[in-house]
């Protein structure tokens, strides 16, 4: 399934953690938007990991599911792809 994930996390530390998790599941497209091509299992695991990190009264994460037909209709006008210069050490 193709899922667009957007998030609004006011705290830097939590936002960085959310970004790291999403980066391991999909492609960073804009500052708080990822595109992810996931299986049902991957989606369930991603959602579970994210829900454990957020503060529901302060944070928001939204999942938009696109069908295969809609995915093929994605258009982009202008703007450069974000460059992630963050270095993570495992």
């Amino acid at each position: 399934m193709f899922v667009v994930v957007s998030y609004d996390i006011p705290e830097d530390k939590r936002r960085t953690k959310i970004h790291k998790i999403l980066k391991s599941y999909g492609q960073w497209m804009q500052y708080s938007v990822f595109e992810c091509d996931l299986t049902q299992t991957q989606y369930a695991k991603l959602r579970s990991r994210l829900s454990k990190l957020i503060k529901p009264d302060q944070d928001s994460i939204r999942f938009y599911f696109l069908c295969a037909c809609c995915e093929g209709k994605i258009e982009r006008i202008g703007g450069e792809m974000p460059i992630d210069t963050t270095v993570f050490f495992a």
Side-chain angles (χ1 to χ4, degrees):
M1 71 180 85
F2 191 79
V3 184
V4 176
V5 183
S6 68
Y7 57 94
D8 184 10
I9 313 291
E11 184 184 288
D12 289 342
K13 188 175 180 179
R14 274 196 321 278
R15 187 172 52 248
T16 299
K17 288 180 182 179
I18 298 294
H19 181 89
K20 279 177 68 172
I21 290 171
L22 285 166
K23 192 173 177 184
S24 68
Y25 284 88
Q27 176 64 44
W28 185 37
M29 300 309 293
Q30 292 182 346
Y31 293 103
S32 61
V33 178
F34 278 79
E35 292 180 353
C36 306
D37 194 7
L38 306 170
T39 65
Q40 287 283 352
T41 303
Q42 289 170 324
Y43 171 69
K45 186 173 181 178
L46 172 61
R47 194 176 187 295
S48 174
R49 290 178 68 187
L50 294 175
S51 66
K52 291 176 184 175
L53 284 177
I54 69 163
K55 292 186 177 180
D57 58 327
Q58 298 175 19
D59 304 335
S60 172
I61 301 176
R62 297 176 63 113
F63 301 90
Y64 299 91
F65 297 88
L66 276 65
C67 67
C69 182
C70 294
E71 182 183 349
K73 295 179 181 177
I74 296 172
E75 288 188 42
R76 178 182 169 169
I77 300 174
E80 293 183 29
M81 293 289 288
I83 299 172
D84 190 355
T85 58
T86 309
V87 178
F88 299 108
F89 297 98

Coordinates of all heavy atoms in Angstrom, one line a residue:
M1 N 0.8 -1.2 0.0 CA 0.0 0.0 0.0 C 0.9 1.2 0.0 O 2.0 1.2 0.6 CB -0.9 0.0 1.2 CG -0.3 0.2 2.5 SD -1.4 0.2 3.9 CE -1.4 -1.5 4.2
F2 N 0.4 2.3 -0.7 CA 1.2 3.5 -0.8 C 0.6 4.5 0.2 O -0.6 4.8 0.2 CB 1.1 4.1 -2.2 CG 2.1 5.2 -2.4 CD1 3.4 5.0 -2.6 CD2 1.7 6.5 -2.4 CE1 4.3 6.0 -2.8 CE2 2.5 7.5 -2.6 CZ 3.9 7.3 -2.8
V3 N 1.4 5.0 1.2 CA 0.9 5.8 2.2 C 1.7 7.1 2.3 O 3.0 7.1 2.3 CB 1.0 5.1 3.6 CG1 0.4 6.0 4.7 CG2 0.4 3.7 3.6
V4 N 1.0 8.2 2.3 CA 1.7 9.5 2.6 C 1.5 9.8 4.1 O 0.4 9.8 4.6 CB 1.1 10.6 1.7 CG1 1.7 12.0 2.1 CG2 1.3 10.3 0.2
V5 N 2.6 10.1 4.7 CA 2.6 10.4 6.2 C 3.0 11.8 6.4 O 4.1 12.2 6.0 CB 3.5 9.4 7.0 CG1 3.4 9.6 8.4 CG2 3.2 7.9 6.6
S6 N 2.2 12.5 7.1 CA 2.6 13.9 7.5 C 2.5 14.0 9.0 O 1.7 13.3 9.7 CB 1.7 14.9 6.9 OG 0.4 14.8 7.4
Y7 N 3.4 14.9 9.6 CA 3.4 15.0 11.0 C 3.6 16.4 11.4 O 4.2 17.2 10.7 CB 4.5 14.1 11.6 CG 5.9 14.3 11.1 CD1 6.8 15.1 11.8 CD2 6.3 13.6 10.0 CE1 8.1 15.3 11.3 CE2 7.6 13.8 9.5 CZ 8.5 14.7 10.2 OH 9.7 14.8 9.7
D8 N 3.1 16.7 12.6 CA 3.3 18.0 13.2 C 3.7 17.8 14.7 O 2.8 17.4 15.5 CB 2.0 18.9 13.1 CG 2.2 20.3 13.7 OD1 3.3 20.7 14.0 OD2 1.2 20.9 13.8
I9 N 5.0 17.9 15.0 CA 5.5 17.5 16.3 C 6.3 18.8 16.8 O 7.3 19.1 16.2 CB 6.5 16.3 16.2 CG1 5.9 15.2 15.4 CG2 6.9 15.9 17.6 CD1 4.7 14.5 16.1
P10 N 5.8 19.5 17.8 CA 6.4 20.7 18.2 C 7.7 20.6 18.9 O 8.5 21.5 18.9 CB 5.4 21.4 19.2 CG 4.5 20.2 19.6 CD 4.5 19.2 18.5
E11 N 8.0 19.4 19.5 CA 9.2 19.3 20.3 C 10.3 18.7 19.4 O 10.1 17.6 18.8 CB 9.0 18.4 21.5 CG 10.2 18.2 22.4 CD 10.0 17.3 23.5 OE1 9.2 17.7 24.5 OE2 10.5 16.2 23.5
D12 N 11.5 19.3 19.4 CA 12.6 18.9 18.5 C 13.0 17.4 18.7 O 13.2 16.7 17.8 CB 13.8 19.8 18.7 CG 13.6 21.2 18.1 OD1 12.7 21.3 17.3 OD2 14.4 22.1 18.5
K13 N 13.2 17.0 20.0 CA 13.7 15.7 20.3 C 12.7 14.6 19.7 O 13.1 13.7 19.1 CB 13.9 15.5 21.8 CG 14.5 14.2 22.2 CD 14.8 14.2 23.7 CE 15.5 12.9 24.1 NZ 15.8 12.9 25.5
R14 N 11.4 14.8 20.0 CA 10.4 13.8 19.5 C 10.3 13.9 18.0 O 10.2 12.8 17.3 CB 9.0 14.1 20.1 CG 8.8 13.4 21.4 CD 7.3 13.4 21.8 NE 6.5 14.5 21.5 CZ 6.5 15.6 22.3 NH1 7.2 15.8 23.3 NH2 5.7 16.6 21.9
R15 N 10.4 15.1 17.4 CA 10.3 15.2 16.0 C 11.5 14.5 15.3 O 11.3 13.8 14.3 CB 10.3 16.7 15.6 CG 10.0 16.9 14.1 CD 9.8 18.4 13.8 NE 10.8 19.3 14.3 CZ 10.7 20.2 15.2 NH1 9.5 20.3 15.8 NH2 11.6 20.9 15.6
T16 N 12.6 14.6 15.9 CA 13.8 13.9 15.3 C 13.6 12.4 15.4 O 14.0 11.7 14.4 CB 15.1 14.3 16.1 OG1 15.3 15.7 15.9 CG2 16.3 13.6 15.6
K17 N 13.1 11.9 16.5 CA 12.8 10.5 16.6 C 11.8 10.0 15.6 O 12.0 8.9 14.9 CB 12.4 10.1 18.0 CG 13.4 10.2 19.0 CD 12.9 9.8 20.4 CE 14.0 10.0 21.5 NZ 13.4 9.7 22.8
I18 N 10.7 10.8 15.4 CA 9.7 10.4 14.4 C 10.3 10.4 13.0 O 10.1 9.5 12.2 CB 8.5 11.4 14.5 CG1 7.8 11.4 15.8 CG2 7.6 11.2 13.3 CD1 7.1 10.1 16.2
H19 N 11.1 11.4 12.7 CA 11.8 11.5 11.4 C 12.7 10.3 11.1 O 12.7 9.7 10.0 CB 12.6 12.8 11.3 CG 13.3 13.0 10.0 ND1 12.7 13.6 8.9 CD2 14.5 12.6 9.6 CE1 13.6 13.6 7.9 NE2 14.7 13.0 8.3
K20 N 13.5 9.9 12.1 CA 14.3 8.7 12.0 C 13.5 7.4 11.7 O 13.9 6.7 10.8 CB 15.2 8.5 13.3 CG 16.4 9.4 13.4 CD 17.1 9.2 14.7 CE 17.8 7.8 14.7 NZ 18.7 7.7 15.9
I21 N 12.5 7.3 12.4 CA 11.6 6.1 12.2 C 11.0 6.1 10.8 O 11.1 5.1 10.0 CB 10.5 6.0 13.2 CG1 11.1 5.6 14.6 CG2 9.5 4.9 12.8 CD1 10.2 5.7 15.8
L22 N 10.5 7.2 10.4 CA 9.8 7.3 9.1 C 10.9 7.1 8.0 O 10.6 6.5 6.9 CB 9.1 8.6 8.9 CG 7.8 8.7 9.6 CD1 7.3 10.1 9.7 CD2 6.8 7.8 9.0
K23 N 12.1 7.6 8.2 CA 13.1 7.5 7.2 C 13.5 6.0 6.9 O 13.9 5.7 5.8 CB 14.4 8.2 7.6 CG 15.4 8.4 6.5 CD 16.5 9.3 7.0 CE 17.5 9.4 5.9 NZ 18.7 10.2 6.3
S24 N 13.3 5.2 7.9 CA 13.6 3.8 7.7 C 12.4 3.0 7.0 O 12.6 1.9 6.6 CB 13.9 3.1 9.1 OG 12.7 3.0 9.9
Y25 N 11.3 3.7 6.8 CA 10.1 3.1 6.1 C 9.8 3.7 4.8 O 9.1 3.1 4.0 CB 8.9 3.2 7.0 CG 8.9 2.2 8.2 CD1 9.5 2.6 9.4 CD2 8.3 1.0 8.0 CE1 9.4 1.7 10.4 CE2 8.2 0.1 9.1 CZ 8.8 0.5 10.3 OH 8.8 -0.4 11.4
G26 N 10.3 4.9 4.5 CA 9.9 5.5 3.2 C 10.9 6.6 2.8 O 12.0 6.8 3.4
Q27 N 10.4 7.4 1.9 CA 11.2 8.5 1.3 C 10.7 9.8 1.8 O 9.6 10.2 1.8 CB 11.0 8.5 -0.3 CG 11.7 9.6 -1.0 CD 13.2 9.5 -0.9 OE1 13.8 8.5 -1.0 NE2 13.8 10.7 -0.6
W28 N 11.7 10.6 2.3 CA 11.4 12.0 2.8 C 11.1 12.9 1.6 O 12.0 13.0 0.7 CB 12.6 12.4 3.6 CG 12.4 13.8 4.3 CD1 11.3 14.3 4.9 CD2 13.4 14.7 4.5 NE1 11.5 15.5 5.4 CE2 12.8 15.8 5.2 CE3 14.7 14.8 4.1 CZ2 13.5 16.9 5.5 CZ3 15.5 16.0 4.5 CH2 14.9 17.0 5.2
M29 N 9.9 13.5 1.5 CA 9.6 14.3 0.4 C 9.6 15.8 0.7 O 10.0 16.6 -0.2 CB 8.2 13.9 -0.1 CG 8.1 12.4 -0.5 SD 9.4 11.9 -1.7 CE 8.9 12.8 -3.1
Q30 N 9.0 16.2 1.8 CA 9.0 17.6 2.2 C 9.3 17.6 3.7 O 9.4 16.5 4.3 CB 7.7 18.2 1.9 CG 7.5 18.4 0.4 CD 6.2 19.1 0.1 OE1 5.3 19.3 1.0 NE2 6.0 19.6 -1.1
Y31 N 9.4 18.7 4.3 CA 9.9 18.8 5.7 C 9.2 17.9 6.7 O 9.8 17.4 7.6 CB 10.0 20.3 6.1 CG 11.1 21.0 5.3 CD1 10.7 21.8 4.3 CD2 12.4 20.7 5.6 CE1 11.7 22.4 3.5 CE2 13.4 21.4 4.8 CZ 13.0 22.2 3.8 OH 14.0 22.8 3.0
S32 N 7.9 17.7 6.6 CA 7.2 16.9 7.5 C 6.3 15.9 6.8 O 5.3 15.5 7.2 CB 6.4 17.7 8.5 OG 5.4 18.5 7.8
V33 N 6.8 15.5 5.6 CA 6.0 14.5 4.7 C 6.9 13.4 4.2 O 8.0 13.7 3.7 CB 5.4 15.3 3.6 CG1 4.6 14.3 2.7 CG2 4.5 16.4 4.0
F34 N 6.4 12.2 4.4 CA 7.1 11.0 3.8 C 6.1 10.3 2.9 O 4.9 10.3 3.1 CB 7.5 10.1 4.9 CG 8.8 10.5 5.6 CD1 8.8 11.5 6.6 CD2 10.0 9.8 5.3 CE1 10.0 11.8 7.2 CE2 11.2 10.2 5.9 CZ 11.2 11.2 6.9
E35 N 6.7 9.6 1.9 CA 5.9 8.7 1.1 C 6.5 7.3 1.4 O 7.7 7.1 1.3 CB 6.1 9.0 -0.4 CG 5.4 10.3 -0.8 CD 5.6 10.6 -2.3 OE1 6.3 9.9 -3.0 OE2 5.0 11.6 -2.7
C36 N 5.6 6.3 1.7 CA 6.0 5.0 2.1 C 5.2 4.0 1.3 O 4.0 4.0 1.2 CB 5.7 4.8 3.6 SG 6.4 6.0 4.7
D37 N 5.9 3.0 0.8 CA 5.3 1.8 0.1 C 5.4 0.7 1.1 O 6.5 0.1 1.2 CB 6.0 1.6 -1.2 CG 5.2 0.6 -2.1 OD1 4.1 0.3 -1.8 OD2 5.8 0.2 -3.2
L38 N 4.3 0.3 1.7 CA 4.4 -0.6 2.8 C 3.5 -1.8 2.6 O 2.4 -1.7 2.0 CB 3.9 0.1 4.1 CG 4.6 1.4 4.5 CD1 3.9 2.1 5.6 CD2 6.0 1.1 4.9
T39 N 3.8 -2.9 3.3 CA 2.9 -4.0 3.4 C 2.0 -3.7 4.6 O 2.3 -2.8 5.4 CB 3.7 -5.3 3.7 OG1 4.4 -5.2 5.0 CG2 4.7 -5.6 2.6
Q40 N 1.0 -4.5 4.8 CA 0.1 -4.4 6.0 C 0.9 -4.5 7.3 O 0.7 -3.8 8.2 CB -1.0 -5.4 5.9 CG -2.1 -5.2 4.9 CD -3.1 -4.1 5.3 OE1 -3.1 -3.6 6.4 NE2 -3.9 -3.7 4.4
T41 N 1.8 -5.5 7.3 CA 2.6 -5.7 8.5 C 3.5 -4.5 8.8 O 3.7 -4.1 10.0 CB 3.4 -7.0 8.3 OG1 2.5 -8.1 8.1 CG2 4.3 -7.3 9.6
Q42 N 4.2 -4.0 7.8 CA 5.1 -2.9 8.0 C 4.3 -1.7 8.4 O 4.7 -0.9 9.3 CB 5.8 -2.5 6.6 CG 6.8 -3.5 6.2 CD 7.3 -3.2 4.8 OE1 6.5 -2.8 3.9 NE2 8.6 -3.5 4.6
Y43 N 3.1 -1.4 7.9 CA 2.3 -0.3 8.3 C 1.9 -0.5 9.8 O 2.0 0.5 10.6 CB 1.0 -0.2 7.5 CG 0.0 0.8 8.0 CD1 0.3 2.2 8.0 CD2 -1.2 0.4 8.6 CE1 -0.5 3.1 8.6 CE2 -2.0 1.3 9.2 CZ -1.7 2.7 9.2 OH -2.6 3.6 9.8
A44 N 1.5 -1.7 10.2 CA 1.1 -1.9 11.6 C 2.3 -1.6 12.5 O 2.1 -1.0 13.6 CB 0.6 -3.3 11.7
K45 N 3.4 -2.1 12.1 CA 4.6 -1.9 13.0 C 5.0 -0.4 13.0 O 5.3 0.1 14.1 CB 5.8 -2.7 12.4 CG 7.0 -2.6 13.3 CD 8.1 -3.6 12.8 CE 9.3 -3.5 13.8 NZ 10.4 -4.4 13.4
L46 N 4.9 0.3 11.9 CA 5.2 1.7 11.9 C 4.3 2.5 12.7 O 4.7 3.3 13.6 CB 5.2 2.2 10.4 CG 5.2 3.8 10.2 CD1 6.6 4.3 10.7 CD2 5.0 4.1 8.8
R47 N 3.0 2.2 12.6 CA 2.0 2.9 13.4 C 2.2 2.7 14.9 O 2.1 3.6 15.7 CB 0.6 2.5 12.9 CG -0.5 3.3 13.4 CD -1.9 2.9 12.9 NE -2.9 3.8 13.2 CZ -3.4 4.1 14.4 NH1 -2.9 3.5 15.4 NH2 -4.4 4.9 14.6
S48 N 2.5 1.5 15.2 CA 2.7 1.1 16.6 C 3.9 1.9 17.2 O 3.9 2.4 18.3 CB 2.9 -0.4 16.7 OG 3.3 -0.7 18.1
R49 N 5.0 1.9 16.4 CA 6.2 2.6 16.9 C 6.0 4.1 17.1 O 6.4 4.7 18.0 CB 7.4 2.3 15.9 CG 7.9 0.9 15.9 CD 9.0 0.7 14.9 NE 10.2 1.5 15.3 CZ 11.3 1.6 14.5 NH1 11.3 1.1 13.3 NH2 12.3 2.3 14.9
L50 N 5.3 4.7 16.1 CA 5.0 6.1 16.2 C 4.1 6.4 17.3 O 4.3 7.4 18.1 CB 4.4 6.6 14.9 CG 5.3 6.5 13.7 CD1 4.6 7.0 12.4 CD2 6.6 7.4 13.9
S51 N 3.0 5.6 17.5 CA 2.1 5.9 18.6 C 2.7 5.8 20.0 O 2.2 6.5 20.9 CB 0.9 5.0 18.5 OG 1.2 3.7 18.7
K52 N 3.7 5.1 20.1 CA 4.4 5.0 21.4 C 5.3 6.2 21.7 O 5.6 6.5 22.9 CB 5.3 3.7 21.5 CG 4.6 2.4 21.5 CD 5.5 1.2 21.4 CE 4.7 -0.1 21.4 NZ 5.6 -1.2 21.2
L53 N 5.6 7.0 20.7 CA 6.5 8.1 20.9 C 5.8 9.4 21.1 O 6.3 10.4 21.7 CB 7.4 8.3 19.7 CG 8.6 7.3 19.5 CD1 9.3 7.6 18.2 CD2 9.5 7.5 20.7
I54 N 4.6 9.6 20.5 CA 3.9 10.9 20.4 C 3.2 11.2 21.8 O 2.9 10.3 22.5 CB 3.0 11.0 19.3 CG1 1.7 10.1 19.5 CG2 3.6 10.7 17.9 CD1 0.6 10.5 18.6
K55 N 2.9 12.5 21.9 CA 2.1 12.9 23.0 C 0.8 13.4 22.3 O 0.8 14.4 21.6 CB 2.7 14.1 23.7 CG 3.9 13.7 24.5 CD 4.4 14.9 25.4 CE 5.6 14.4 26.2 NZ 6.1 15.5 27.0
P56 N -0.3 12.6 22.4 CA -1.5 12.8 21.6 C -2.1 14.2 21.8 O -2.8 14.7 20.9 CB -2.5 11.7 22.0 CG -1.6 10.6 22.5 CD -0.4 11.3 23.1
D57 N -1.9 14.8 22.9 CA -2.5 16.1 23.2 C -1.6 17.2 22.5 O -2.1 18.4 22.4 CB -2.6 16.4 24.7 CG -1.3 16.3 25.4 OD1 -0.4 15.4 25.0 OD2 -1.1 17.0 26.4
Q58 N -0.4 16.9 22.1 CA 0.4 17.9 21.5 C 0.8 17.6 20.0 O 1.0 18.5 19.2 CB 1.8 18.0 22.2 CG 1.6 18.5 23.7 CD 2.9 18.4 24.4 OE1 4.0 18.4 23.8 NE2 2.9 18.4 25.7
D59 N 0.9 16.3 19.7 CA 1.4 15.9 18.4 C 0.3 15.4 17.5 O -0.7 14.9 17.9 CB 2.5 14.8 18.6 CG 3.6 15.2 19.5 OD1 3.9 16.4 19.7 OD2 4.2 14.3 20.1
S60 N 0.6 15.4 16.2 CA -0.3 14.9 15.2 C 0.5 14.2 14.1 O 1.4 14.7 13.6 CB -1.1 16.1 14.6 OG -1.9 15.6 13.5
I61 N 0.0 13.0 13.8 CA 0.6 12.2 12.6 C -0.6 11.8 11.8 O -1.6 11.2 12.4 CB 1.4 11.0 13.1 CG1 2.6 11.5 13.9 CG2 1.9 10.2 11.8 CD1 3.4 10.3 14.5
R62 N -0.6 12.0 10.5 CA -1.7 11.7 9.6 C -1.2 10.7 8.5 O -0.1 10.9 8.0 CB -2.3 12.9 9.0 CG -2.9 13.8 10.1 CD -3.4 15.1 9.5 NE -4.5 14.8 8.5 CZ -5.8 15.2 8.8 NH1 -6.1 15.9 9.8 NH2 -6.7 14.9 7.9
F63 N -2.0 9.7 8.2 CA -1.7 8.7 7.2 C -2.7 8.9 6.1 O -3.9 8.8 6.3 CB -1.8 7.3 7.8 CG -0.9 7.1 9.0 CD1 -1.3 7.3 10.2 CD2 0.4 6.6 8.8 CE1 -0.5 7.1 11.3 CE2 1.3 6.4 9.8 CZ 0.8 6.7 11.1
Y64 N -2.3 9.1 4.8 CA -3.1 9.2 3.7 C -2.8 8.0 2.8 O -1.7 7.8 2.3 CB -2.9 10.5 2.9 CG -3.1 11.7 3.7 CD1 -2.1 12.3 4.5 CD2 -4.4 12.3 3.8 CE1 -2.4 13.4 5.3 CE2 -4.6 13.4 4.5 CZ -3.6 14.0 5.3 OH -3.9 15.1 6.0
F65 N -3.8 7.2 2.5 CA -3.6 6.0 1.7 C -4.0 6.3 0.3 O -5.1 6.7 0.0 CB -4.5 4.8 2.3 CG -4.1 4.4 3.7 CD1 -4.6 5.1 4.8 CD2 -3.2 3.4 3.9 CE1 -4.3 4.7 6.0 CE2 -2.8 3.1 5.2 CZ -3.3 3.7 6.3
L66 N -3.1 5.9 -0.6 CA -3.4 6.2 -2.1 C -3.5 4.8 -2.8 O -2.6 4.0 -2.6 CB -2.3 7.0 -2.7 CG -2.4 8.5 -2.6 CD1 -2.2 8.9 -1.1 CD2 -1.3 9.2 -3.4
C67 N -4.5 4.7 -3.6 CA -4.6 3.4 -4.4 C -3.6 3.5 -5.5 O -3.0 4.5 -5.8 CB -6.0 3.3 -5.0 SG -6.4 4.6 -6.2
A68 N -3.3 2.3 -6.2 CA -2.3 2.3 -7.2 C -2.6 3.3 -8.3 O -1.7 3.9 -8.9 CB -2.2 0.9 -7.8
C69 N -3.9 3.4 -8.7 CA -4.3 4.4 -9.7 C -4.0 5.8 -9.3 O -3.4 6.6 -10.1 CB -5.8 4.2 -10.0 SG -6.4 5.3 -11.3
C70 N -4.3 6.2 -8.1 CA -4.0 7.5 -7.6 C -2.5 7.8 -7.5 O -2.0 8.9 -7.7 CB -4.6 7.7 -6.2 SG -6.4 7.7 -6.3
E71 N -1.7 6.8 -7.1 CA -0.3 6.9 -7.0 C 0.3 7.3 -8.3 O 1.2 8.1 -8.3 CB 0.3 5.6 -6.5 CG 1.8 5.7 -6.3 CD 2.4 4.3 -5.9 OE1 1.7 3.4 -5.6 OE2 3.7 4.2 -5.9
G72 N -0.2 6.8 -9.4 CA 0.3 7.1 -10.7 C 0.0 8.5 -11.1 O 0.5 9.0 -12.1
K73 N -0.9 9.2 -10.4 CA -1.3 10.5 -10.8 C -0.7 11.6 -10.0 O -1.0 12.8 -10.0 CB -2.9 10.6 -10.6 CG -3.6 9.8 -11.6 CD -5.1 9.9 -11.4 CE -5.9 9.0 -12.3 NZ -7.3 9.1 -12.1
I74 N 0.3 11.2 -9.2 CA 1.0 12.2 -8.4 C 1.8 13.2 -9.3 O 2.5 12.7 -10.2 CB 2.0 11.5 -7.4 CG1 1.2 10.7 -6.4 CG2 2.9 12.6 -6.6 CD1 2.0 9.8 -5.5
E75 N 1.7 14.4 -9.1 CA 2.4 15.4 -9.8 C 3.2 16.3 -8.9 O 2.8 16.5 -7.8 CB 1.4 16.3 -10.6 CG 0.8 15.7 -11.8 CD 0.0 16.7 -12.6 OE1 0.5 17.8 -12.9 OE2 -1.1 16.3 -13.0
R76 N 4.3 16.9 -9.4 CA 5.1 17.8 -8.7 C 5.4 19.0 -9.5 O 5.8 18.8 -10.7 CB 6.4 17.1 -8.2 CG 7.3 17.9 -7.5 CD 8.5 17.2 -7.1 NE 9.5 18.2 -6.6 CZ 10.6 17.9 -6.0 NH1 10.9 16.6 -5.9 NH2 11.4 18.8 -5.6
I77 N 5.3 20.1 -8.9 CA 5.6 21.4 -9.6 C 6.6 22.1 -8.7 O 6.3 22.5 -7.6 CB 4.4 22.3 -9.9 CG1 3.4 21.5 -10.8 CG2 4.8 23.6 -10.5 CD1 2.1 22.2 -11.0
G78 N 7.8 22.4 -9.2 CA 8.8 23.2 -8.5 C 9.3 22.6 -7.2 O 8.9 21.5 -6.8
G79 N 10.1 23.4 -6.6 CA 10.7 23.0 -5.3 C 11.8 21.9 -5.5 O 11.7 21.1 -6.3
E80 N 12.7 22.0 -4.6 CA 13.8 21.0 -4.6 C 13.5 19.9 -3.6 O 12.8 20.2 -2.6 CB 15.1 21.6 -4.3 CG 15.6 22.6 -5.3 CD 17.0 23.1 -4.9 OE1 17.8 22.4 -4.2 OE2 17.3 24.2 -5.3
M81 N 14.0 18.7 -3.8 CA 13.8 17.6 -2.9 C 14.6 18.0 -1.6 O 15.7 18.5 -1.8 CB 14.4 16.3 -3.4 CG 13.6 15.8 -4.6 SD 12.0 15.1 -4.1 CE 12.4 13.7 -3.3
P82 N 14.1 17.8 -0.4 CA 14.9 18.0 0.8 C 16.1 17.2 0.8 O 16.0 16.0 0.4 CB 13.9 17.7 1.9 CG 12.6 17.5 1.3 CD 12.8 17.3 -0.1
I83 N 17.2 17.7 1.2 CA 18.4 17.0 1.4 C 18.6 16.7 2.9 O 18.7 17.6 3.7 CB 19.6 17.7 0.8 CG1 19.4 18.0 -0.7 CG2 20.9 17.0 1.1 CD1 20.4 18.9 -1.3
D84 N 18.7 15.4 3.2 CA 18.8 15.1 4.6 C 20.3 14.9 4.9 O 21.0 14.0 4.5 CB 18.1 13.8 4.9 CG 18.0 13.4 6.4 OD1 18.6 14.2 7.2 OD2 17.4 12.5 6.8
T85 N 20.8 15.9 5.7 CA 22.3 15.8 6.0 C 22.5 15.3 7.4 O 23.6 15.3 7.9 CB 22.9 17.2 5.9 OG1 22.1 18.1 6.8 CG2 22.8 17.8 4.5
T86 N 21.4 14.7 8.0 CA 21.5 14.2 9.3 C 22.3 12.9 9.3 O 22.1 12.0 8.4 CB 20.1 13.9 9.9 OG1 19.3 15.0 9.8 CG2 20.2 13.4 11.4
V87 N 23.3 12.7 10.2 CA 24.0 11.5 10.3 C 23.6 10.7 11.5 O 23.6 11.2 12.6 CB 25.6 11.8 10.4 CG1 26.4 10.6 10.5 CG2 26.0 12.6 9.2
F88 N 23.2 9.5 11.3 CA 22.8 8.6 12.4 C 23.8 7.5 12.6 O 24.2 6.9 11.6 CB 21.4 8.0 12.1 CG 20.3 9.0 11.9 CD1 19.8 9.3 10.7 CD2 19.8 9.7 13.0 CE1 18.8 10.2 10.5 CE2 18.8 10.6 12.9 CZ 18.3 10.9 11.6
F89 N 24.2 7.2 13.8 CA 25.1 6.2 14.1 C 24.4 5.0 14.7 O 23.6 5.3 15.7 CB 26.2 6.7 15.0 CG 27.1 7.7 14.3 CD1 26.9 9.1 14.6 CD2 28.1 7.4 13.5 CE1 27.6 10.0 14.0 CE2 28.9 8.4 12.9 CZ 28.6 9.7 13.1
A90 N 24.5 3.8 14.2 CA 23.8 2.7 14.8 C 24.7 2.0 15.9 O 25.8 2.1 15.9 CB 23.5 1.7 13.7

